[in-house]
Each structure stands twice: as C-alpha cells, then as structure tokens.
Amino acid sequence: MSYSKDIGSVRQIPAHFSLKFSEKEIANRVKTLGEEIGGWCHGVWRDSHTDVLAIPVLRGGIFFFADLVRAINASVEIAPVRTEAYESEINGQQRNEVQIYAEKLAVKGRVVLVVDDVCDSGRTLEELEKALLARGAREVRTVVLLRRLLDRPTFVPCWTGFQYEGPEWFVGYGMDDAERWRNLPGVYIIKRDT
C-alpha cells in the first residue's frame, strides 16, 4: 500500500484517499450548524423546560457529535445509540435489516436530536426515527455531516453539513474504510482503480 504525506504534519494518508472536506471546512460548517440547532434547543427549553436529548449514532457519528454539541450554546442531554446497516468488512455492502441497539434508551415524551455522520439511502435514520417515535419520543429531528444526493431519497435529514453527489465511499472524521482510518481529521473519498 502506498502512502502520501498529509501536508503540514507527519500523518501518512493512503495514496488512494482524496481529501474532500478539510478539517477547517468541517469546523466552520459544524459551528454554523451548532448555532442553528442551538436556537431550536432554546425554543424546546422555553416550551417544555426539558433539554433536547441528543443521540449520537455510534460509531461513525462520534467525531461529528462531539464537535457539534460543543458548538450548541444550549444544554443538551446525551444518550448514545448504536446501529448497524453495513457489513463491517465490505464498504458499501448493506445488511438486509438495520440493527438498532438501544434497549435502555428512555425517550418517552422527549424531543430528540439524532446525530449521524452520513445519510446515504437514509434507511438507518428512517428506521431509527420510527423506533424512537414508537418508544414515545415527542419529536425527532436529525442532523448529519454528509448527505449523499440521490434521485429518490427515502429520508431527508433536518440539517445537513455537506451534500455530495457520487457513489464514492467516505473515510475519516469517524467514517471508516473497513474499520480503519476513522481518526483522520478530514473527510476523504476512496479512489478506486477503474
């Protein structure tokens, strides 16, 4: 495997990764999203005297979630959930069913913000929203760092950091290449040999 240097550091980036969104671009967009969502959170508090329940979707959403909640200028309660929609060994290979692991998640009567890294088909977020509403959540809103533009999306998040058109697989900033490279500070696309 060949590597290329990440300019300005000693980090070695696989040569087949191409930077799509830099650490600075992500930070700027997350700050803007935090301001928008913070206004909504203040409104929820005014109406109910209850904090928004912010739910990061593990594992991919943790980097985005950590940065986003620090950019929200209102109190939020945090309760993570884990889902599995893709086979971990094969990028882009969807499972037949979305698995949701949230047995002890108490959402009844709560306003919920689901935070995830990417919305491809929207299947995972759609299933998660249905599950939260079935458990009694009063309202569910979603925010993703990246939304893949499709002709017929099944689900559209309430807030989106960046939109992308194309089939390439993302890696970095929480997203993985067969469970590797989640810890890159930017978002890369994986270039495949044609």
Side-chain angles (χ1 to χ4, degrees):
M1 176 181 286
S2 61
Y3 292 89
S4 61
K5 277 204 172 186
D6 184 5
I7 297 171
S9 74
V10 294
R11 186 185 302 268
Q12 299 292 308
I13 307 294
H16 65 289
F17 288 3
S18 175
L19 183 64
K20 184 61 185 170
F21 302 107
S22 71
E23 187 176 5
K24 184 175 181 180
E25 289 173 304
I26 293 168
N28 289 338
R29 187 66 184 119
V30 168
K31 181 178 183 287
T32 301
L33 286 170
E35 291 168 356
E36 292 173 15
I37 293 168
W40 169 67
C41 292
H42 282 294
V44 170
W45 175 259
R46 276 193 309 273
D47 295 343
S48 66
H49 289 287
T50 305
D51 286 340
V52 167
L53 181 62
I55 298 179
V57 178
L58 303 177
R59 290 173 293 206
I62 61 171
F63 287 70
F64 176 47
F65 179 82
D67 289 342
L68 180 68
V69 294
R70 288 180 295 182
I72 294 173
N73 66 355
S75 176
V76 294
E77 187 178 335
I78 295 171
V81 67
R82 188 169 63 90
T83 64
E84 291 179 1
Y86 292 94
E87 298 296 338
S88 60
E89 300 82 24
I90 306 168
N91 292 340
Q93 179 67 45
Q94 289 191 345
R95 293 176 180 264
N96 291 331
E97 292 181 359
V98 175
Q99 299 294 316
I100 300 171
Y101 304 95
E103 292 78 17
K104 297 181 180 181
L105 195 60
V107 297
K108 189 170 183 177
R110 301 294 301 273
V111 175
V112 176
L113 175 68
V114 175
V115 182
D116 204 358
D117 54 356
V118 63
C119 178
D120 280 316
S121 68
R123 192 171 66 122
T124 301
L125 289 170
E126 183 177 41
E127 291 300 316
L128 186 52
E129 182 181 78
K130 285 179 188 174
L132 294 169
L133 291 170
R135 290 179 183 209
R138 193 173 46 157
E139 178 184 0
V140 178
R141 292 200 185 183
T142 53
V143 56
V144 297
L145 178 68
L146 297 164
R147 177 176 165 239
R148 193 179 305 277
L149 297 175
L150 302 173
D151 290 337
R152 291 186 296 266
T154 60
F155 186 90
V156 177
C158 301
W159 292 279
T160 298
F162 301 98
Q163 298 187 107
Y164 184 79
E165 192 168 4
E168 292 82 8
W169 190 257
F170 301 110
V171 64
Y173 199 66
M175 293 167 274
D176 69 289
D177 177 17
E179 298 301 334
R180 300 192 72 220
W181 297 107
R182 287 185 191 274
N183 58 316
L184 293 173
V187 172
Y188 294 75
I189 57 174
I190 300 175
K191 298 179 289 185
R192 298 292 183 205
D193 294 333
T194 54

